[in-house]
Every structure is written in structure tokens, then in C-alpha cells.
Amino acid sequence: MKLFKIAWLKIRSTYSLPLLILSLIILVFYIFIGIGESELAYTSAHVSSILPLKTAVIELLSIYLFSYSVLPTNRIVSKSDQDFLFMIPVDEKELAIGIICSYLIINMLLVGILIIFTAPILGFGSFALFLLFSILLSFIPIFSLRLKTLYRVLFTLLLLIWFISAYFNFPYSPLSMLDNYTPSYFILLGLTLAIAFLSLNKLNIYDLVKVNYQSSRTIKNPIIFSPSSSPFLTMLKKNINLIELGGRVSQIAGGQYLIARIKIYYVLIPMIVIAVLAYLFPQLSFLILVVEFILLLNYAQASFINEPLWLNLSIMPPSKFARNYLLSKTLTLYILFIPLIISGFVSGNISFAIASLEFPLTFIYISSILARFYPVPQSGVQILNVRRMIFTLIGTIPVLVILFLSLLFPLFTFVIIVILVSYFFLNKRFWEKAFENAISSPY
């Protein structure tokens, strides 16, 4: 009962009650549809959409793994949660386990969509996959936080390769149950138990907290800006040196805005590896496009969050600052996408190459929408609610539409993107209002 109360407090610090009820209704809907699909899976002699469903499941699970493992800082206890959770008169171990239980409940709400894709293939086994994967995602961030950045990236890449190997009918993948390999359930169970054991071993409540300590070390590679540099070149130099990835809404950590600043080569090297894989296995092209979208979304969500707007406003007009800022960020994104663009053209996947060429421009749209309608809270305290979910969808759904259309009508989507970019670049009033909201909005 005590663990339930802790978990409930943590969940309510993350979800508003209307959003929590909506999420539960959606999960029940997934389960209801899954039961019907499971019964059909046993009565139908053949399911013609097995291969597309299998591909969708692998891609969806890969997205979850990448997000939770590489960027675990958006799956930890926020500062606002610490202020009241750490004051509860319970044992630290109980508090940590209660928080992990809240992770499990929230992950079940987020991963429930898997049931719709897996039930036609696995029948009622889809519910076992759903439960195991919800547990796995609850512990992977804790385990990843204990690893250094390089080891975390390597761990994630190896894990992704292991899961994606199911696409090539590898019988010992945690997802090979999609090809009717029953032992795969035990492989996934073993992986889940291993990650859970490594996470719980010597678990301390402060393992769930990201603490930033002041370092006494000197900065090895300081970024030096010339007074004569133009604002654009100054921003471009800063963005190329440090890539900012993050999220405006953390599903687990309340609403704290978290940014990961990393050297560009930590992102560029994996992109080169992915580009080589795209050349060797052209059938992975769509999955790679999904990876591009994840990177784009995390990159866009970090825009304007840590920018001292009140200083920028005194240096140049808001519209001029926004143009320089967004253009420098977009060029940095092109540097990251160049390996994938080249790989697409060399391998003959022209439509995917053109899509990768156009796709970074949509960054300007997402960043502009978020800056205008989804300003950064000055208090740093936020509860995830329906309003914020709607604005997130407004920012991402059109980009997903453009992503699919770009594969079929590249010239048409290019015109749409140019119109969108032109609007945000030329609309001075848009940015004046956006910066006013960023400074004065209570959200």
C-alpha cells in the first residue's frame, strides 16, 4: 500500500487527472482491440499483413529503446519531484522502488499501442510482450545512467542491433517470437530480469537523480567568439561545437526541461554507422528515416530552451535573432544528415535520399511552433496535461505527413516546406509574440 501511494504521488506529479483518465481509456481501448485481434489470429488461416506489422513492431520498439537508453535523463526524478518525494517518511529503498513502480505504470500507458500491432501476429502472446517491454523500459534508464556516455551509446547500439536482427529472421533476437520462435519469450524475459537485477543491485534513491556538480577542471576546448563575427557565424560555431538534444515534456520526470549537450562527433559517428547499414541493407531505409525524425524532434525540442532571451532581445530584433538561430541550427542538422543523404543516393534509394535532404528544413517549422505556442516555463515546474499534448501533436503531425509525402511527391513537399520556412522567416510579428510569451507565460 505504501509503494502504491508513492507511485500515485509520482504519477500525479507527471499527469494531470484529465490526461491520466484519457490515457487509461486509450489503454483499455488497445486491450479491447488486442483481444479481438488475438482471437482472429487463431481462427484465420493466413494474415496477409504479417510482414508490415512485424516491421512496424521492430521500428516502434527500436524507437522506445533508443529514447529511453540514450537519453535517460528525461526518465529520472525531476527537481520539483525531489522537493516533496524525498520528504516522505519512508525508507530510501522503498521510495526508490515506489518511483520505479510509477515508471512501470506510466510505461504501460505509453507502450500499450504495441498490442494493436502484435496481437494479429502473436495472439494473446502480445500481452506478454507488452508487459515484459513495459518492465524493461522501466529499468533501462536506471541502468543507462550508471554508464558513461560512450558506453551508453555502445550499449544502445548493440541492443538495437540485437532487436533489429529479428527483421532478418535471426532466431535468438528478443523479438524473434514475431517469426514464431517461442524461445524468444524466454530470451526477452532473461534480458528484462538481467537489466532489472543490474539496476536494483545496490540501488540508491540518488541513482534516480541527475545531479550536476561544479567541476574544478579547466575547460579543454573553450569556444572563442570573435567580436567581429556576425551573429549567424557566432551561433553556427556554437551549434557545431555542441549539439543540444532534449525534450520539453518528460513523461516520467514531470515537466522538467532537460537538455543533453554533447560534442557533434558523438552524434555524427553513429550517423555514419547508420548510413553504412542503410547502404548494405536498403530495406532498412524507412527505419533510418524514423531515426532521422527522432533526432530531428529531440533537436527541435531543445530549441530556445536555454537561450537567454532577455539578452538576445536587447542585441537584435526577435525576428532577426530567430532567423540566425534557426538557420544555424538547420545547417548543423544537415551536417549530421549528410552521411544518410549520400548513402541514399549511392544505394539507389533516391526517394529516401531526397526525403533526407528536405527533412531537416522541417526543423524550422517544429521549433517555431514550439517557441510560439509552447513557451518554456520560467518556473521550471510543469505537469503534463492535455493542452501541452495537443500543441506537441500540432508540431509533429504535419511533419510526419510531410515525411510520408516526400517519399512520393518530393517536389510538391519541397514547395510546401519552402512556403512554411518563408512564413516563419518573414513574419516579424510572429516572433515578437513568441518572445513575449517566452518571457511572460506562466506555462
Side-chain angles (χ1 to χ4, degrees):
M1 183 61 69
K2 190 181 296 185
L3 294 178
F4 175 78
K5 289 182 179 179
I6 296 172
W8 177 247
L9 285 173
K10 179 68 181 71
I11 292 171
R12 287 293 287 116
S13 71
T14 304
Y15 280 72
S16 65
L17 190 57
L19 183 58
L20 181 61
I21 294 173
L22 177 62
S23 300
L24 288 172
I25 292 173
I26 293 174
L27 179 60
V28 172
F29 172 76
Y30 290 151
I31 294 174
F32 176 77
I33 296 297
I35 292 174
E37 290 179 335
S38 299
E39 293 176 348
L40 287 175
Y42 284 109
T43 58
S44 177
H46 178 70
V47 180
S48 59
S49 59
I50 287 295
L51 184 57
L53 285 175
K54 172 186 171 182
T55 303
V57 171
I58 294 174
E59 292 174 355
L60 190 59
L61 294 184
S62 298
I63 292 171
Y64 280 122
L65 284 172
F66 180 86
S67 174
Y68 279 63
S69 185
V70 170
L71 298 172
T73 52
N74 62 356
R75 297 292 188 271
I76 59 175
V77 181
S78 67
K79 178 61 173 67
S80 59
D81 283 344
Q82 296 174 39
D83 292 339
F84 75 92
L85 285 176
F86 287 13
M87 298 298 292
I88 299 175
V90 295
D91 181 77
E92 288 186 359
K93 192 95 173 181
E94 288 182 321
L95 180 59
I97 294 176
I99 293 173
I100 294 174
C101 289
S102 73
Y103 292 3
L104 175 60
I105 296 171
I106 294 177
N107 284 329
M108 291 176 70
L109 297 176
L110 298 176
V111 183
I113 193 173
L114 281 175
I115 297 173
I116 293 180
F117 293 98
T118 56
I121 308 174
L122 303 177
F124 290 100
S126 62
F127 295 100
L129 177 63
F130 158 68
L131 181 59
L132 287 174
F133 211 80
S134 298
I135 297 172
L136 180 63
L137 291 183
S138 301
F139 288 102
I140 275 185
I142 304 171
F143 176 72
S144 295
L145 278 173
R146 296 181 173 182
L147 303 176
K148 294 182 179 179
T149 303
L150 179 59
Y151 295 135
R152 183 187 305 161
V153 172
L154 291 175
F155 165 74
T156 304
L157 288 176
L158 291 174
L159 198 62
L160 284 174
I161 292 172
W162 194 17
F163 272 82
I164 293 173
S165 64
Y167 186 86
F168 304 99
N169 301 321
F170 180 63
Y172 301 109
S173 168
L175 292 180
S176 59
M177 76 275 290
L178 299 172
D179 292 308
N180 207 24
Y181 291 106
T182 305
S184 178
Y185 287 104
F186 298 99
I187 294 175
L188 180 59
L189 175 61
L191 174 64
T192 303
L193 292 176
I195 296 294
F197 172 78
L198 293 173
S199 302
L200 292 174
N201 186 36
K202 299 180 180 179
L203 177 67
N204 188 292
I205 183 61
Y206 296 100
D207 290 336
L208 307 179
V209 180
K210 189 70 173 180
V211 182
N212 295 319
Y213 297 100
Q214 295 292 332
S215 175
S216 60
R217 296 180 297 176
T218 58
I219 299 176
K220 295 181 180 179
N221 300 305
I223 305 174
I224 301 175
F225 302 110
S226 171
S228 60
S229 297
S230 67
F232 169 73
L233 292 178
T234 300
M235 294 180 189
L236 181 62
K237 185 175 182 180
K238 177 253 185 183
N239 291 327
I240 290 178
N241 272 274
L242 290 174
I243 302 296
E244 292 182 337
L245 300 174
R248 290 172 178 262
V249 174
S250 167
Q251 300 286 1
I252 301 298
Q256 188 179 18
Y257 294 97
L258 300 164
I259 299 295
R261 286 192 178 95
I262 53 181
K263 290 289 186 179
I264 190 170
Y265 51 80
Y266 281 123
V267 182
L268 188 57
I269 292 175
M271 296 299 281
I272 293 174
V273 173
I274 293 173
V276 173
L277 291 175
Y279 175 75
L280 296 176
F281 307 102
Q283 60 268 38
L284 293 177
S285 296
F286 185 77
L287 176 60
I288 291 168
L289 209 59
V290 173
V291 172
E292 287 182 328
F293 174 73
I294 296 173
L295 179 62
L296 169 72
L297 188 59
N298 279 279
Y299 194 55
Q301 287 176 331
S303 297
F304 297 108
I305 286 185
N306 283 340
E307 300 301 320
L309 298 182
W310 58 277
L311 282 177
N312 295 324
L313 285 170
S314 65
I315 297 174
M316 66 188 78
S319 58
K320 182 179 180 181
F321 167 75
R323 283 195 294 268
N324 288 316
Y325 180 83
L326 292 174
L327 186 58
S328 65
K329 286 272 190 177
T330 302
L331 289 179
T332 304
L333 201 58
Y334 268 112
I335 293 175
L336 298 177
F337 281 17
I338 279 177
L340 300 176
I341 295 171
I342 294 175
S343 175
F345 280 113
V346 172
S347 63
N349 287 328
I350 305 300
S351 59
F352 284 95
I354 294 176
S356 297
L357 192 61
E358 295 178 352
F359 205 38
L361 291 176
T362 60
F363 159 81
I364 296 174
Y365 167 77
I366 298 178
S367 297
S368 301
I369 290 295
L370 293 177
R372 171 66 178 82
F373 300 105
Y374 197 3
V376 180
Q378 300 301 306
S379 64
V381 178
Q382 195 55 237
I383 294 180
L384 185 60
N385 52 43
V386 176
R387 179 181 183 273
R388 293 195 168 277
M389 184 176 69
I390 291 174
F391 282 124
T392 301
L393 292 176
I394 291 174
T396 55
I397 287 180
V399 175
L400 290 174
V401 174
I402 292 174
L403 168 62
F404 287 104
L405 288 178
S406 62
L407 299 176
L408 303 174
F409 313 104
L411 182 60
F412 173 70
T413 54
F414 178 75
V415 173
I416 294 177
I417 293 172
V418 169
I419 292 174
L420 286 174
V421 170
S422 300
Y423 172 79
F424 292 118
F425 270 8
L426 300 176
N427 194 333
K428 294 183 179 180
R429 179 56 185 163
F430 179 92
W431 289 108
E432 289 174 357
K433 189 66 177 176
F435 282 13
E436 288 175 8
N437 287 351
I439 294 174
S440 61
S441 175
Y443 298 111

